[in-house]
Amino acid sequence: MILEERPDGAGAGEESPRLQGCDSLTQIQCGQLQSRRAQIHQQIDKELQMRTGAENLYRATSNNRVRETVALELSYVNSNLQLLKEELEELSGGVDPGRHGSEAVTVPMIPLGLKETKELDWSTPLKELISVHFGEDGASYEAEIRELEALRQAMRTPSRNESGLELLTAYYNQLCFLDARFLTPARSLGLFFHWYDSLTGVPAQQRALAFEKGSVLFNIGALHTQIGARQDRSCTEGARRAMEAFQRAAGAFSLLRENFSHAPSPDMSAASLCALEQLMMAQAQECVFEGLSPPASMAPQDCLAQLRLAQEAAQVAAEYRLVHRTMAQPPVHDYVPVSWTALVHVKAEYFRSLAHYHVAMALCDGSPTEGELPTHEQVFLQPPTSSKPRGPVLPQELEERRQLGKAHLKRAILGQEEALRLHALCRVLREVDLLRAVISQTLQRSLAKYAELDREDDFCEAAEAPDIQPKTHQKPEARMPRLSQGKGPDIFHRLGPLSVFSAKNRWRLVGPVHLTRGEGGFGLTLRGDSPVLIAAVIPGSQAAAAGLKEGDYIVSVNGQPCRWWRHAEVVTELKAAGEAGASLQVVSLLPSSRLPSLGDRRPVLLGPRGLLRSQREHGCKTPASTWASPRPLLNWSRKAQQGKTGGCPQPCAPVKPAPPSSLKHPGWP
């Protein structure tokens, strides 16, 4: 056999073993991934079985000591489940855990795990309500109910990206539609919404749909934290995306805190939500610092840049100190994982030492001009032991600046050593090798610089280095999550417009009635769209004889549902009826009164005690530019007034008759 020569001198037959080797390697890698996925699924099943057993014991026992022990076990199981599901998501998405898109090493962030929930059967209560209140065959809405159940099932395991956020917001918006259409202050769906606490794993149940909405909103914020923690913050764009994600997470928790009282689970209590909001804002501030610090490209002699970084690092340290104080106080201390509190403490010490390091670099390597000295002096705070009202003056002599820079380096080294000590004290944090690597790398850099400045003839040490004044050029603010990005059509759109066809309105279905044309026409005037309203009925006319009344809504013409028809479409259909007449079906709105309840609304709590109390109802439409103004979102109220608006358009009162419309066909009065 003759082999054709290749440009590199290799024969074609020599490449086949290489290709076979590549294929074999690919198959081995795929097999390893499949094997790891199978192991994770087995571990998840095992953890779920353990959680089921612990949950049953938690429900059955009345012994407080046993309940505390079971609650601790549930928290461990909950943490393991979250880690396993995140790893499974990374394997499914082709992401290598622990690797970033850049070789730069960044400090790890704290993402939140998503709340978990059990499966829910919407079929029975929705069919019953559609049949009893809306007067339609509930079985004809099987497709809509299946769509709602499929959406909820998919929402339980969202992908950790923008698609997952869209899925959660889509389900949240459907809950707003359900709240507006099917619920009243006196009626619930009679369903138990079962959710597990994100921090402790303790289960909680409630019949209130608001509990479901609040849990989904919490998951929207938690998913933002996971997206922010996955960004490559070694580049400016990645730091910006991470900062925005943490801002939106803080906005979700802030909105939930403002509309929640006596939460049924620890993670949704006001204290926990406040701590989570502060944590997210601190991590957003850290992203601001990382976006400003390109250590490889910045010259050490750039005094102003170094001092700016020092103040930014001091700002981050101040934010984390505030978070640590909040986490160390009860009741948050009992809920938040110990590793979180330790990591926040480590970060506070690390960024405070980093502020001193950058000041030392500015003093030792920089050459400030005469005009820059006042700017430099604003960086320092008055030392705690000093009684002088004025802050320290920046030395102008080179040797004095070297001594002061050496003092700041000493504080930086002590702070970095303290951060490493705190890191080693926590058993969980020993596994976070990336954080230890970051601190160790910074410590080695500080020690090298200190050795460079240290001299044998230094017989006098500089005084204690002053603290650094926290200051930032960009203070992040909480931003509302984009709740409108997943807003789609109402699944139960076929029932009719929410302004009329909701459980908050009572009506009587009339017809079908046969309406014939008289000498003066049908004897009625129509107005409005979707649905079309009978604005006036002439006494003694064919319409009056058929029993039609002013204020009735036309819902069917000749057997065709017309709840969403426009005025012109109904008029056209009636015109086409001719002398034979038309068959109409209408609904007459009745005065509002208390409706009988379909289920007990008393919450059954498996977590801390507490009930939901009356709050403002909030909706899903939110401007993206601001979050401070009041807006509709959650309906926690059991005594909400009927006229209030909920998460989506609410039913309004019956439309009063108005002057006849100008759109009349010939022969109509």
Side-chain angles (χ1 to χ4, degrees):
M1 181 176 63
I2 301 176
L3 297 177
E4 296 181 0
E5 293 187 358
R6 299 176 57 86
D8 57 359
E14 298 177 0
E15 192 173 13
S16 178
R18 298 178 185 175
L19 294 177
Q20 292 178 358
C22 292
D23 293 341
S24 300
L25 180 60
T26 303
Q27 293 176 0
I28 291 175
Q29 292 176 345
C30 292
Q32 291 175 346
L33 286 176
Q34 292 177 358
S35 176
R36 180 56 186 159
R37 289 193 191 99
Q39 292 176 1
I40 293 176
H41 281 296
Q42 292 176 358
Q43 293 176 357
I44 289 177
D45 292 339
K46 181 179 178 181
E47 296 291 342
L48 289 176
Q49 293 176 3
M50 293 177 61
R51 187 176 71 179
T52 301
E55 181 182 352
N56 292 336
L57 180 58
Y58 188 88
R59 289 179 175 180
T61 184
S62 58
N63 189 308
N64 291 333
R65 181 172 298 181
V66 174
R67 289 174 68 87
E68 291 177 359
T69 304
V70 175
L72 182 62
E73 179 65 24
L74 283 170
S75 67
Y76 283 123
V77 172
N78 182 66
S79 300
N80 292 337
L81 280 172
Q82 291 177 359
L83 292 175
L84 289 171
K85 290 186 176 182
E86 288 178 11
E87 184 179 355
L88 184 62
E89 170 66 22
E90 290 170 346
L91 291 176
S92 301
V95 180
D96 187 7
R99 293 191 59 182
H100 297 275
S102 172
E103 295 299 327
V105 180
T106 54
V107 179
M109 294 291 191
I110 298 179
L112 269 67
L114 272 64
K115 294 171 68 71
E116 295 189 20
T117 182
K118 290 187 174 181
E119 293 185 2
L120 193 64
D121 181 15
W122 295 91
S123 179
T124 302
L126 288 180
K127 286 182 179 179
E128 179 183 354
L129 189 56
I130 290 173
S131 300
V132 172
H133 185 81
F134 293 89
E136 297 194 28
D137 184 11
S140 64
Y141 285 84
E142 284 280 0
E144 285 85 352
I145 295 175
R146 285 197 302 268
E147 182 180 354
L148 178 63
E149 291 178 340
L151 180 59
R152 189 181 191 276
Q153 184 66 20
M155 173 275 310
R156 295 175 62 190
T157 55
S159 56
R160 270 59 174 176
N161 50 32
E162 292 294 331
S163 299
L165 286 175
E166 292 179 2
L167 183 63
L168 285 171
T169 54
Y171 179 66
Y172 175 83
N173 288 321
Q174 291 303 321
L175 291 177
C176 294
F177 283 123
L178 290 174
D179 192 5
R181 187 182 295 279
F182 293 113
L183 300 186
T184 67
R187 169 184 284 146
S188 74
L189 294 174
L191 286 171
F192 272 118
F193 299 100
H194 189 127
W195 287 84
Y196 291 91
D197 189 271
S198 173
L199 302 177
T200 65
V202 175
Q205 293 184 39
Q206 279 199 349
R207 291 184 185 272
L209 184 65
F211 182 42
E212 178 91 348
K213 292 168 65 177
S215 299
V216 175
L217 181 59
F218 183 94
N219 277 357
I220 292 174
L223 188 52
H224 273 294
T225 69
Q226 297 189 13
I227 293 175
R230 290 187 173 205
Q231 299 298 323
D232 177 17
R233 306 188 314 277
S234 61
C235 62
T236 304
E237 180 61 24
R240 185 196 64 78
R241 290 195 300 266
M243 180 184 68
E244 181 181 356
F246 290 125
Q247 286 178 283
R248 296 198 181 277
F253 298 140
S254 175
L255 189 59
L256 197 55
R257 175 176 55 84
E258 291 174 356
N259 297 277
F260 220 171
S261 179
H262 301 294
S265 58
D267 57 358
M268 296 172 68
S269 65
S272 296
L273 291 172
C274 182
L276 294 178
E277 182 184 355
Q278 291 179 359
L279 174 61
M280 295 309 119
M281 296 311 300
Q283 295 189 140
Q285 190 69 61
E286 182 178 348
C287 294
V288 173
F289 171 80
E290 291 174 333
L292 289 177
S293 55
S297 59
M298 185 181 66
Q301 293 79 15
D302 192 345
C303 246
L304 289 178
Q306 291 286 359
L307 292 176
R308 189 180 301 114
L309 285 176
Q311 290 192 292
E312 290 284 354
Q315 181 69 37
V316 177
E319 296 284 346
Y320 276 118
R321 285 197 297 271
L322 177 62
V323 177
H324 182 258
R325 285 197 298 268
T326 303
M327 287 185 171
Q329 296 175 356
V332 181
H333 176 73
D334 301 327
Y335 303 148
V336 174
V338 177
S339 59
W340 289 14
T341 308
L343 180 57
V344 167
H345 197 184
V346 170
K347 283 192 172 188
E349 291 295 332
Y350 168 71
F351 280 101
R352 182 163 57 179
S353 69
L354 208 56
H356 288 286
Y357 171 80
H358 285 293
V359 167
M361 296 296 293
L363 290 170
C364 300
D365 296 337
S367 301
T369 63
E370 195 69 25
E372 292 177 346
L373 287 177
T375 304
H376 293 182
E377 294 174 8
Q378 296 174 3
V379 174
F380 302 109
L381 280 174
Q382 187 74 24
T385 58
S386 175
S387 59
K388 296 181 180 180
R390 188 172 60 88
V393 178
L394 187 70
Q396 300 185 26
E397 295 296 331
L398 180 62
E399 181 61 22
E400 292 179 354
R401 287 203 303 270
R402 186 185 71 84
Q403 289 290 343
L404 184 56
K406 186 177 176 182
H408 279 287
L409 265 181
K410 184 176 180 180
R411 287 198 64 178
I413 292 171
L414 292 176
Q416 289 152 12
E417 290 177 345
E418 175 66 11
L420 287 175
R421 185 188 70 83
L422 293 172
H423 179 280
L425 286 178
C426 184
R427 180 182 61 84
V428 180
L429 281 183
R430 288 192 187 129
E431 302 175 1
V432 188
D433 297 330
L434 185 60
L435 175 61
R436 187 179 186 86
V438 172
I439 302 176
S440 299
Q441 180 181 356
T442 308
L443 177 59
Q444 294 301 320
R445 190 167 64 240
S446 301
L447 289 172
K449 187 64 180 178
Y450 189 85
E452 178 184 335
L453 296 175
D454 195 19
R455 297 177 182 175
E456 294 182 359
D457 56 351
D458 280 344
F459 296 104
C460 59
E461 289 289 338
E464 179 74 13
D467 292 332
I468 310 301
Q469 173 69 47
K471 185 180 179 181
T472 179
H473 82 289
Q474 180 182 358
K475 180 66 175 176
E477 295 183 355
R479 302 173 62 183
M480 274 297 301
R482 300 187 185 93
L483 297 178
S484 60
Q485 68 178 359
K487 188 172 183 179
D490 181 9
I491 290 180
F492 293 91
H493 175 272
R494 195 154 52 95
L495 285 172
L498 276 170
S499 59
V500 177
F501 301 99
S502 75
K504 296 178 177 64
N505 288 335
R506 298 177 63 246
W507 64 79
R508 178 172 56 90
L509 188 63
V510 179
V513 298
H514 189 71
L515 185 64
T516 58
R517 186 189 301 272
E519 294 181 0
F522 291 110
L524 51 79
T525 302
L526 305 183
R527 178 173 62 84
D529 299 321
S530 304
V532 176
L533 174 72
I534 299 178
V537 176
I538 297 179
S541 64
Q542 299 293 328
L548 300 180
K549 297 179 180 180
E550 179 181 328
D552 289 349
Y553 290 95
I554 300 177
V555 297
S556 174
V557 179
N558 295 327
Q560 303 181 55
C562 63
R563 301 186 183 198
W564 289 98
W565 284 15
R566 300 182 65 83
H567 178 276
E569 294 173 323
V570 175
V571 170
T572 302
E573 185 68 22
L574 291 176
K575 283 182 179 180
E579 298 298 331
S583 177
L584 300 182
Q585 193 172 22
V586 300
V587 294
S588 299
L589 290 180
L590 304 177
S592 300
S593 62
R594 184 176 178 86
L595 298 176
S597 175
L598 291 183
D600 185 10
R601 296 194 55 163
R602 291 176 298 174
V604 179
L605 304 184
L606 298 181
R609 65 181 183 273
L611 300 175
L612 300 175
R613 74 177 184 185
S614 297
Q615 297 283 351
R616 299 188 307 272
E617 296 188 23
H618 293 268
C620 55
K621 291 187 178 179
T622 304
S625 59
T626 179
W627 64 277
S629 60
R631 53 181 53 82
L633 171 72
L634 302 176
N635 175 15
W636 302 107
S637 177
R638 298 180 59 183
K639 299 179 180 179
Q641 296 180 359
Q642 183 173 350
K644 286 187 177 181
T645 57
C648 294
Q650 296 282 342
C652 61
V655 182
K656 295 182 179 180
S661 170
S662 59
L663 293 176
K664 303 178 184 177
H665 71 74
W668 288 16

